[in-house]
Amino acid sequence: MEKQLTKHATGTGYEKEQPEKFHKFLARQRSVFIVAFVGYISAYLVRNNFKLMSGDMIDLYGWDKLNVSFLLTCFTITYGLGKFFMGMLADRISLRKLFAGALGISAIICILIGFSSKFALIAILLIICGLIQGALAPSSQAMLANYFPNKTRGAAIAGWNISQNIGSALLPLIISGLGFIAPNNILLTFLVPGLLVLIISFFLWRFGGDNPEKEGLDSLRKMYGKDGEPNVEEEVDKTMPYWQLIKKYVFFNPGILMVGLINAALYFVRFGIEDWMPIYLGHTAGFQSWQYLTAISVLEWIAVPGSLFFAWLAVKFPNKMTIVGAIGLFVMSGLVFVYENISYSGPRDYIFLLIISGLLGTLIYGPQLIVNILTLNFVPLKVAGTALGFVGLMAYLIGNLGSNWLMPILADHLSWTTSYFVVAGLAFLSGVGYLLLAKRERKAIKA
């Protein structure tokens, strides 16, 4: 126990003055991380079901691609809005109840979609699902922000970030397994993951956390001193109304506005590559479906150790993640052109594609997780949920929708090279944006 406390020493002597209380805090810190991590894996098990089954639903329900595009847009827009409004809610109510409750409702909606065949009904359910799912990222990250001090908050967020890769990779495996058991049974692909996540949500309701003070523990500020919470420009006025807080520290915060723009650009890069891989690699680069599907899977799986590498960097350089992110994005900018020039002429090209896909996964998700770290480091904990939601709103309404529409328009009217030139350019500009935030990051987090 003493060894563990020394490892997590606060620098204020708190761990020696209150050893039992501090040990209890560390135990809760670990359990809260597990709740946030497992919960966000579960979020993806009831989020992408429609996207993965859309081809089968076209065949079964007589839809066309525009029907699917409309339904995906319904989710994308409301998910972006949901991140913002639910992020605001996360600052006002119990994080534990919001996170577990939103996950449970998402599971129920997923099950209902499985029982639905009417286009309009599925559209309504996806709109509701987007709004509810929007609560999960801000509330889970805000939980971590409330239990991890400055020097380990970045590592906690970086570790949490790989949950989305694991969830994205697990759901296709679950659906594939169900396909062997009951071929062409669309209901099971929504029902089984939905029931599983519904059960998980009950455990998360029990073991989630809001903040240490609500559990009879001391605040991060008391335990770690100034190293406990983000160092904003001045001491936060605790009597300031909530709306004035978010106006000052979110809407008119230059650091948050810059982070939001970077996040929008990175989401364009992410979805501009991932969502268009099947069409680009299959229709233009000459790869077969099993080859590009494997490449997509490799991108997600390699992103896991890649993100862990960035998590390790967050521990080593807690106030230099902007520099790390910028370097990664400059490399990514060049790698996009390598990817765009791949075409299939033999097995070597397939192996090369897998290598490039793995590198892309690392350089997409690694620099992107830094957005969440910076967001939490640039605002007081009281408005962490709103800040995360605001940055997420910009990502989906500008970045994701932009890639959905601009990529195919440029490819059809000019060329795929033009589309990927935009992707590479945004990656490079995002790296420049990170460098512009380096001084602010060092001020917020003292090494």
Side-chain angles (χ1 to χ4, degrees):
M1 175 178 168
E2 184 63 32
K3 184 178 179 181
Q4 184 185 44
L5 292 177
T6 303
K7 181 181 178 181
H8 296 273
T10 64
T12 64
Y14 181 89
E15 69 276 12
K16 295 180 180 178
E17 297 172 4
Q18 301 280 352
E20 292 185 8
K21 211 170 186 180
F22 191 61
H23 180 70
K24 183 179 179 181
F25 164 74
L26 292 178
R28 282 298 292 144
Q29 189 184 67
R30 288 189 293 271
S31 62
V32 165
F33 178 83
I34 292 170
V35 165
F37 188 81
V38 172
Y40 209 61
I41 289 175
S42 302
Y44 274 78
L45 300 185
V46 290
R47 177 183 298 179
N48 292 334
N49 311 63
F50 172 77
K51 183 188 294 187
L52 293 174
M53 295 307 298
S54 58
D56 296 87
M57 295 170 91
I58 285 176
D59 297 334
L60 184 63
Y61 302 145
W63 295 346
D64 57 28
K65 293 183 179 65
L66 287 178
N67 292 132
V68 173
S69 180
F70 176 81
L71 291 174
L72 290 174
T73 302
C74 285
F75 178 84
T76 298
I77 292 175
T78 56
Y79 181 66
L81 292 171
K83 268 197 164 186
F84 177 59
F85 291 113
M86 291 297 184
M88 294 175 66
L89 190 62
D91 291 327
R92 311 299 295 274
I93 68 172
S94 166
L95 292 171
R96 172 180 62 84
K97 293 179 180 178
L98 178 61
F99 184 56
L103 188 63
I105 294 171
S106 297
I108 293 171
I109 294 172
C110 179
I111 293 169
L112 291 176
I113 293 175
F115 283 101
S116 307
S117 59
K118 300 291 185 181
F119 181 83
L121 179 57
I122 292 176
I124 292 170
L125 289 171
L126 285 172
I127 287 171
I128 298 172
C129 185
L131 289 171
I132 298 298
Q133 282 258 336
L136 296 172
S139 57
S140 58
Q141 291 177 80
M143 268 197 287
L144 296 178
N146 280 316
Y147 280 86
F148 285 84
N150 288 347
K151 288 189 176 181
T152 56
R153 187 179 304 114
I157 293 298
W160 168 88
N161 201 73
I162 67 172
S163 60
Q164 61 184 315
N165 303 110
I166 295 174
S168 295
L170 275 179
L171 183 60
L173 296 178
I174 293 173
I175 289 177
S176 298
L178 293 171
F180 283 110
I181 298 171
N184 302 318
N185 191 322
I186 290 178
L187 172 60
L188 281 182
T189 62
F190 291 90
L191 180 62
V192 173
L195 289 175
L196 174 62
V197 172
L198 188 60
I199 293 169
I200 291 172
S201 69
F202 285 105
F203 288 95
L204 302 188
W205 183 285
R206 170 66 179 83
F207 295 106
D210 291 306
N211 58 57
E213 299 98 302
K214 288 188 177 181
E215 300 181 21
L217 300 168
D218 290 317
S219 67
L220 291 177
R221 180 74 70 180
K222 184 171 182 179
M223 287 186 282
Y224 291 89
K226 290 185 178 181
D227 291 333
E229 298 181 10
N231 297 308
V232 293
E233 292 180 2
E234 67 278 332
E235 194 71 24
V236 179
D237 183 0
K238 295 183 179 180
T239 64
M240 186 182 291
Y242 175 73
W243 289 105
Q244 290 184 25
L245 278 173
I246 63 173
K247 179 181 177 181
K248 179 176 182 179
Y249 292 108
V250 180
F251 299 141
F252 291 93
N253 184 336
I256 291 298
L257 293 175
M258 176 63 80
V259 169
L261 290 173
I262 292 173
N263 203 30
L266 290 182
Y267 265 66
F268 190 107
V269 172
R270 171 182 167 184
F271 290 106
I273 292 174
E274 289 184 18
D275 285 1
W276 296 102
M277 284 182 81
I279 293 176
Y280 171 69
L281 292 175
H283 293 181
T284 303
F287 289 90
Q288 297 180 35
S289 60
W290 68 270
Q291 291 174 322
Y292 62 69
L293 287 173
T294 305
I296 294 171
S297 181
V298 166
L299 185 149
E300 292 289 350
W301 281 115
I302 298 299
V304 174
S307 293
L308 287 175
F309 172 68
F310 275 82
W312 176 77
L313 291 175
V315 174
K316 299 292 289 184
F317 310 105
N319 67 346
K320 294 183 176 66
M321 291 308 293
T322 48
I323 307 297
V324 172
I327 294 171
L329 287 169
F330 292 150
V331 175
M332 157 73 108
S333 183
L335 194 64
V336 170
F337 290 109
V338 177
Y339 166 75
E340 192 270 332
N341 280 288
I342 298 174
S343 60
Y344 185 77
S345 59
R348 288 185 178 181
D349 297 310
Y350 172 56
I351 294 172
F352 187 56
L353 172 64
L354 295 182
I355 295 171
I356 296 300
S357 296
L359 292 173
L360 286 172
T362 297
L363 295 176
I364 286 172
Y365 287 98
Q368 192 177 67
L369 67 83
I370 297 171
V371 165
N372 297 323
I373 296 173
L374 295 179
T375 301
L376 291 172
N377 286 341
F378 287 171
V379 298
L381 294 182
K382 281 190 173 184
V383 295
T386 302
L388 290 164
F390 179 67
V391 169
L393 174 69
M394 294 180 71
Y396 276 88
L397 294 192
I398 300 175
N400 194 357
L401 283 181
S403 71
N404 286 351
W405 294 98
L406 190 58
M407 289 290 290
I409 289 173
L410 291 176
D412 286 343
H413 291 86
L414 295 171
S415 65
W416 277 109
T417 300
T418 307
S419 295
Y420 286 114
F421 180 83
V422 172
V423 171
L426 288 174
F428 185 86
L429 289 175
S430 297
V432 173
Y434 271 149
L435 292 180
L436 294 175
L437 290 173
K439 183 177 179 180
R440 182 179 288 266
E441 181 191 30
R442 289 194 297 272
K443 184 178 180 180
I445 301 297
K446 304 295 184 183

